[in-house]
Amino acid sequence: MPKLEYCSPLWSPCKIRDIQRLEDFQRYFSVKIDECSGMNYRERLHHLKMLSLLRRRERYMIIHVWKMLDGLAPKIIEFNREEERHGVKAMYPSLNHKAQDSVITLHNASFRMRASQPFNRMPERVRKCTSLEALKIKLGNFLTTIPDYPPVKSYSSPRDNSLVALLHEA
């Protein structure tokens, strides 16, 4: 699994079929665990206390944005740190709404957008962490409260499993 996650904040796929292909690896190997026989993929993830690969990539992106805003990682893209009364937010320049559809698609698939949106939707207690270890603990605790329905072939998913979509509904 480490090879599937290496530098994942940068290469994380956007298309459902690509996400499904990655989830298939974890699904394939998790079915081989004896204590998980007879369970579907979601049940295996829950039983093993694992997150889907999609959710883990989002987690890494949130952590990386926090590190960039806190000066612990090089800023590979420009974010402005905005202190609000509800915590830190990653601010980015808006896109011209008259841009071509292809430009909008590329913009929305960029690391800047795919990483800052879930970070900004995290609860204040997560974004206000003052240490990396505290962030990981609070983020991990928060993520266990969010349903994880990975997009997998042959399973119907009730909704988009991205944190942005799930937290937008809340």
Side-chain angles (χ1 to χ4, degrees), residues 76-148:
I76 55 175
I77 52 170
E78 193 56 42
F79 282 119
N80 294 324
R81 180 186 176 104
E82 184 174 297
E83 298 277 347
E84 292 186 341
R85 71 171 190 214
H86 298 295
V88 175
K89 291 225 174 179
M91 303 309 291
Y92 45 85
S94 61
L95 181 67
N96 180 349
H97 295 292
K98 295 179 182 178
Q100 295 176 354
D101 288 344
S102 60
V103 172
I104 293 171
T105 300
L106 286 173
H107 174 75
N108 291 340
S110 70
F111 173 76
R112 175 182 287 173
M113 295 302 292
R114 297 203 50 222
S116 62
Q117 288 177 342
F119 177 84
N120 289 342
R121 295 217 169 130
M122 288 294 104
E124 178 181 352
R125 69 182 181 275
V126 173
R127 287 182 285 115
K128 278 190 166 182
C129 288
T130 56
S131 75
L132 182 58
E133 287 308 311
L135 172 76
K136 288 179 179 180
I137 291 168
K138 289 182 181 181
L139 179 58
N141 290 339
F142 175 71
L143 290 178
T144 61
T145 67
I146 305 295
D148 193 4

Side-chain angles (χ1 to χ4, degrees), residues 150-166:
V152 177
K153 292 177 212 163
S154 75
Y155 289 113
S156 62
S157 188
R159 61 177 79 92
D160 182 351
N161 195 46
S162 72
L163 286 172
V164 173
L166 292 172

